[in-house]
Amino acid sequence: MTVIVPELVVVENNNLDHKEEINKEEEVTKEEQQDLKRDGGFEVPESNAFGHSFRDYEKESERKESVEEFYRTNHINQTYEFAIKKKEYYEKLDKTEMSIWECCELLNEFVDESDPDLDEPQIEHLLQTAEAIRRDYPNEDWLHLTALIHDLGKVLLHPAFGHQPQWSVVGDTFPLGCAFDENIVHHQYFKENPDNDNPLYNTKLGVYTENCGLDKVTMSWGHDEYMYLVSKGNNTTLPPAALFIIRFHSFYAMHRSGAYRHLMNDEDHEMLKWLHVFNKYDLYSKSKVRVNQEEVKPYYLSLIEKYFPAKLKW
C-alpha cells in the first residue's frame, strides 16, 4: 500500500529536530539557540512552567509525587486485554455528537495529572502548540489543526464519556502484547503488571512479527488512541501523517528514545519525520502565557470546516 505523506520541508531554523531526541537531557547549544533567534524560529525554553527541565521525572518538584503515583497505577493496570476491551467499547463512537470546537471547550475543565511541565487547562496547551507551529510552518494548515486536536481524546475524563480515571486517559503510551521497554518512564512499576509474567506477551516481539508496522500494534489505551479512532471514524481528510501524530505523539519511548523500531515498517519511518517536528512544539510550547482564544478561533474554525464534518460522532 502506498501512503502519501506531505513532503517535509525543514527550514534552516528547525535543524534541531533530530538532535533533540538523541540528547536525552534535551539541551541545545548556545550556537543553535542563537540560530533560532536570528532566523525567527521556535526557541526552546530552558525550563518548564515550574522552573525545571522538561520531562524530568526525578527532579523534586510540586508535582513529582503525584506524577510518579500516576505512572505506578498506569503501568500496573494497562494490559493487552484491557486495551483491547476499551478500544472495542469506544470505537463504536456512540457516546455523543459535537463539534471539534465544542470538544476543545470541554477540556477547559481538566488538568493532565501525568504532566510534570504544566498545570494549566488542556485547551491552553492545544492553542499554544498550534500557534507555535503556525508561526514556523505557516503553509502547513493540516499541521496547525493536528496540533489543536491532538489531545482532544482527553475528553474521556468527562462524565459524559464515563469519567475515566486519568491513568487510562493520559500519560506516555507504549505497545502492549510484547515486552515493556526500559525507556518507558517509570519502567520499574511494570513488574506488577500481569502481562510482565505472561510468556505470550513478555518477549521482544510478543504477539507481533518483525517490522509488522505500528498500525498492527495494540497501544496502551488513552486519549491518543481514542482521538485517532474518532478522526478515522468521522472520515477526516487530514493526511496520514496527521493521524500518525495523533496516535503516537505520547509514544516517547519510540520517538524520543528509539525503542520499538523493530515493530516499525517503512511507512512508519516516513511519517515519524513529521512527528519529530510536531513533538518539539508539543513539549516546549507549554507555558503560563495564554493565547487569546477569541482572536484565533475564526482561523481554526475554518480549518475544522476544511478537514472535518460540522458535527462528529464521539
Side-chain angles (χ1 to χ4, degrees), residues 2 17 21 32 61 116 144 156 181 220 229 232 248 297-298 308:
T2 300
D17 294 334
E21 63 263 15
E32 288 166 338
S61 70
H144 310 163
L156 290 171
D181 191 274
S220 55
L229 295 175
K232 283 189 64 178
F248 299 116
K297 183 177 178 179
F308 281 96

Side-chain angles (χ1 to χ4, degrees), residues 106-107 109-110 154-164 169:
L106 276 183
L107 290 186
E109 303 175 27
F110 301 105
K154 292 178 182 178
V155 74
L156 290 171
L157 297 168
H158 196 275
F161 293 81
H163 205 309
Q164 298 300 297
V169 178

Side-chain angles (χ1 to χ4, degrees), residues 175-227:
L176 296 166
C178 60
F180 300 113
D181 191 274
E182 293 184 357
N183 286 292
I184 302 170
V185 63
H186 287 305
H187 172 271
Q188 69 272 22
Y189 293 118
F190 284 119
K191 64 184 179 182
E192 299 180 58
N193 186 304
D195 288 359
N196 196 52
D197 296 320
N198 189 326
L200 292 175
Y201 306 141
N202 65 7
T203 62
K204 180 179 179 179
L205 287 175
V207 300
Y208 308 111
T209 57
E210 192 88 16
N211 305 125
C212 61
L214 294 179
D215 61 317
K216 304 291 196 305
V217 173
T218 295
M219 298 294 293
S220 55
W221 176 255
H223 71 280
D224 313 62
E225 192 75 14
Y226 181 54
M227 192 59 205

Side-chain angles (χ1 to χ4, degrees), residues 2 27 39 81 87 127 200 238 243 255 273:
T2 300
E27 297 177 347
D39 294 337
E81 183 180 2
K87 181 179 179 181
L127 289 170
L200 292 175
L238 284 170
L243 296 178
H255 65 73
K273 297 173 185 177

Side-chain angles (χ1 to χ4, degrees), residues 43-248:
E43 182 179 350
V44 176
E46 294 182 358
S47 60
N48 63 20
F50 301 103
H52 305 307
S53 300
F54 284 87
R55 286 183 59 82
D56 187 342
Y57 293 93
E58 301 304 321
K59 180 77 174 181
E60 290 296 331
S61 70
E62 296 90 333
R63 290 170 64 80
K64 180 181 183 294
E65 287 188 14
S66 62
V67 170
E68 183 168 347
E69 177 58 23
F70 163 88
Y71 275 109
R72 187 189 71 82
T73 307
N74 172 281
H75 290 355
I76 292 172
N77 292 285
Q78 285 277 3
T79 65
Y80 185 73
E81 183 180 2
F82 170 81
I84 293 291
K85 288 182 177 179
K86 285 294 184 182
K87 181 179 179 181
E88 290 174 348
Y89 178 72
Y90 281 103
E91 69 182 353
K92 299 172 185 176
L93 302 181
D94 58 358
K95 305 300 174 286
T96 190
E97 291 190 11
M98 62 178 166
S99 69
I100 290 285
W101 196 264
E102 286 172 329
C103 188
C104 288
E105 292 178 332
L106 276 183
L107 290 186
N108 257 331
E109 303 175 27
F110 301 105
V111 172
D112 187 336
E113 292 179 0
S114 72
D115 192 343
D117 297 323
L118 192 65
D119 59 355
E120 294 292 321
Q122 285 300 294
I123 191 171
E124 297 300 327
H125 167 55
L126 299 180
L127 289 170
Q128 287 169 353
T129 307
E131 284 294 283
I133 291 176
R134 184 182 173 190
R135 284 191 293 271
D136 283 3
Y137 291 86
N139 298 321
E140 307 294 345
D141 68 353
W142 66 271
L143 192 57
H144 310 163
L145 182 58
T146 301
L148 181 73
I149 70 172
H150 76 281
D151 274 347
L152 290 190
K154 292 178 182 178
V155 74
L156 290 171
L157 297 168
H158 196 275
F161 293 81
H163 205 309
Q164 298 300 297
Q166 290 236 359
W167 66 261
S168 69
V169 178
V170 300
D172 285 15
T173 58
F174 41 85
L176 296 166
C178 60
F180 300 113
D181 191 274
E182 293 184 357
N183 286 292
I184 302 170
V185 63
H186 287 305
H187 172 271
Q188 69 272 22
Y189 293 118
F190 284 119
K191 64 184 179 182
E192 299 180 58
N193 186 304
D195 288 359
N196 196 52
D197 296 320
N198 189 326
L200 292 175
Y201 306 141
N202 65 7
T203 62
K204 180 179 179 179
L205 287 175
V207 300
Y208 308 111
T209 57
E210 192 88 16
N211 305 125
C212 61
L214 294 179
D215 61 317
K216 304 291 196 305
V217 173
T218 295
M219 298 294 293
S220 55
W221 176 255
H223 71 280
D224 313 62
E225 192 75 14
Y226 181 54
M227 192 59 205
Y228 169 73
L229 295 175
V230 169
S231 299
K232 283 189 64 178
N234 285 279
N235 300 313
T236 181
T237 56
L238 284 170
L243 296 178
F244 189 89
I245 289 170
I246 291 169
R247 189 177 185 218
F248 299 116

Side-chain angles (χ1 to χ4, degrees), residues 240-296:
L243 296 178
F244 189 89
I245 289 170
I246 291 169
R247 189 177 185 218
F248 299 116
H249 69 271
S250 300
F251 189 6
Y252 276 86
M254 180 270 291
H255 65 73
R256 302 290 286 186
S257 302
Y260 296 104
R261 297 300 170 96
H262 57 281
L263 298 178
M264 297 172 65
N265 59 23
D266 291 342
E267 292 166 4
D268 295 329
H269 285 285
E270 277 300 307
M271 288 186 279
L272 181 59
K273 297 173 185 177
W274 276 112
L275 179 52
H276 282 150
V277 169
F278 172 83
N279 177 252
K280 178 174 68 174
Y281 298 90
D282 183 26
L283 179 60
Y284 295 118
S285 66
K286 298 173 184 177
S287 76
K288 296 285 187 179
V289 180
R290 297 199 170 193
V291 175
N292 186 323
Q293 294 184 30
E294 292 307 311
E295 184 177 296
V296 301

